[in-house]
Amino acid sequence: MGFNIAVAGKGGTGKTTVTGLMIRHLVKKNEGRVLAVDADANMNLNEVLGLSVHQTIGQIREGLGAVPAGMTKDAYINYRTQECLIEGGGYDLICMGRPEGPGCYCYANTLCKKYVDEMADNYKYVVLDNEAGMEHLSRRTTHNMDVVFAVTDSSVRGIQAAGRIRDLITELKLRIGKIVLVINRVPGGVLEDATKREIEKLGMELGGVIPTDPNVYEYDLEGKATFLLPDDSPAVKAVSEMLEKYLG
Ligand SMILES: Nc1ncnc2c1ncn2[C@@H]1O[C@H](COP(=O)(O)OP(=O)(O)OP(=O)(O)O)[C@@H](O)[C@H]1O
Ligand SMILES: [Mg+2]
C-alpha cells in the first residue's frame, strides 16, 4: 500500500502551492513512484509543477467516439484515461479538468476517482490537490487518505473553514488516517498569539507553519514553476520538514 496525501481548505490559501512543494519533496527524495492528481476542475497544479497538459479526464467524454470492437466500454475508458497521464521528471500527473460547455462535473469526477483508486497501488505516493470548499469530501474524491492537510492562512475564517473540513470528514466517516492544519503564508513564519489561540480553540493538530516566501511570489510573476524553487527557499524548507513528519 502506498501513502496517500490530499490537501483541502478555503480558496486561495495556498493548497496548490503546498501540494506542488510536497510533490517536489517526494520527487527529490526519490524513494518511489509519485502520482500527482489535480482534482480541481479549475486546474493549475501543472503550472506550479511546470508541465503542460495535453488532455484531461473531463475531455474524454466528448472525444470518446465509438468503442473499438472487442473492447468493453469500461476498458476503453480506462485506456483513454491512461492517455491523460503526463510524465513529469520523476512523477506522473493526471488532471481531472472539466467537460466542455455547460453540464455538471460528476462524470469527470467519478472517472478521476476511479482512476486514482485503481492506480494508487502502483505508486508509493499519491498527492491530490483539491478545489476549495468541501464538495470533494461529499463526493468522496478525498477518501482512503493517510493524511489530509487542511491549508489555511492565519485568518480566523480560514482556520474555521479547516475546522469544518475536519467536522465533515468525521461526519461522513471518510477513511482518512489523519487531518492536520497547515498555516500558510505566515509572515516570518511566526504565528500571532491570536492565531495560536484560534488554533487551540479548534483543537486540531498543527501540522506545519509555512512562511510567506518572497521567492514564491517572484517565481509566479516571472512565470517560473514553483517546483523549481531552490532547496533553501523558506516555503520549500518548511513544506519538506512538515511532510517528513507524516511520512509512514
Ligand atoms: N508561502 C507562500 N508565500 C508566498 N506566496 C504564496 C505562498 N503560498 C501561496 N502563495 C501565493 O498565493 C496565491 C494562492 O496560492 P494557491 O494557488 O496555491 O492557492 P489555492 O489554495 O490552491 O487556491 P485555489 O483555492 O484557487 O485553488 C498564489 O499566487 C501563490 O503564489
Ligand atoms: Mg489551487
Side-chain angles (χ1 to χ4, degrees):
M1 267 289 277
F3 195 80
N4 301 343
I5 299 162
V7 297
K10 198 171 152 289
T13 50
K15 296 179 293 300
T16 306
T17 304
V18 170
T19 305
L21 293 180
M22 291 202 286
I23 293 163
R24 180 191 185 282
H25 180 72
L26 295 172
V27 170
K28 297 254 168 185
K29 249 172 97 87
N30 195 19
E31 280 184 357
R33 299 181 73 200
V34 179
L35 177 64
V37 184
D38 191 345
D40 186 349
N42 186 5
M43 59 180 196
N44 62 358
L45 179 60
N46 66 298
E47 283 165 19
V48 165
L49 297 173
L51 296 178
S52 35
V53 178
H54 61 279
Q55 204 187 0
T56 69
I57 294 175
Q59 291 166 336
I60 292 179
R61 197 179 204 173
E62 287 87 36
L64 196 58
V67 178
M71 218 179 196
T72 63
K73 190 173 179 196
D74 236 24
Y76 184 49
I77 289 173
N78 262 356
Y79 165 76
R80 293 295 306 271
T81 310
Q82 191 71 33
E83 281 185 340
C84 298
L85 209 62
I86 299 155
E87 263 187 55
Y91 65 95
D92 294 330
L93 168 69
I94 190 135
C95 301
M96 182 180 82
R98 58 170 184 81
E100 255 171 61
C104 90
Y105 298 172
C106 295
Y107 187 67
N109 206 97
T110 305
L111 281 190
C112 182
K113 181 168 143 24
K114 185 167 169 282
Y115 183 82
V116 173
D117 283 349
E118 285 172 8
M119 294 303 286
D121 282 348
N122 297 337
Y123 289 90
K124 173 100 190 264
Y125 301 105
V126 175
V127 188
L128 192 142
D129 184 25
N130 278 305
E131 61 194 9
M134 306 208 284
E135 208 168 318
H136 59 92
L137 297 172
S138 53
R139 285 174 185 269
R140 295 173 191 265
T141 313
T142 297
H143 84 143
N144 285 342
M145 291 291 150
D146 293 282
V147 188
V148 170
F149 291 94
V151 181
T152 172
D153 49 23
S154 306
S155 73
V156 171
R157 274 189 292 174
I159 294 172
Q160 287 172 347
R164 285 192 295 275
I165 285 167
R166 179 223 18 219
D167 295 345
L168 188 58
I169 286 174
T170 312
E171 190 187 321
L172 297 176
K173 298 189 174 66
L174 298 177
R175 280 178 54 195
I176 283 165
K178 213 167 211 204
I179 166 151
V180 299
L181 193 64
V182 180
I183 317 279
N184 183 37
R185 246 193 271 131
V186 177
V190 182
L191 293 177
E192 302 273 355
D193 285 343
T195 310
K196 284 187 196 158
R197 279 197 296 275
E198 204 54 41
I199 298 170
E200 218 165 285
K201 246 201 287 178
L202 193 68
M204 271 176 82
E205 176 174 331
L206 180 59
V209 176
I210 318 298
T212 309
D213 185 339
N215 300 334
V216 171
Y217 180 70
E218 195 185 305
Y219 271 49
D220 193 47
L221 270 186
E222 292 172 5
K224 284 200 279 186
T226 314
F227 192 91
L228 298 175
L229 282 170
D231 288 346
D232 61 356
S233 206
V236 174
K237 274 167 62 184
V239 170
S240 293
E241 276 165 29
M242 170 179 78
L243 185 54
E244 268 306 310
K245 285 196 298 186
Y246 292 100
L247 294 178

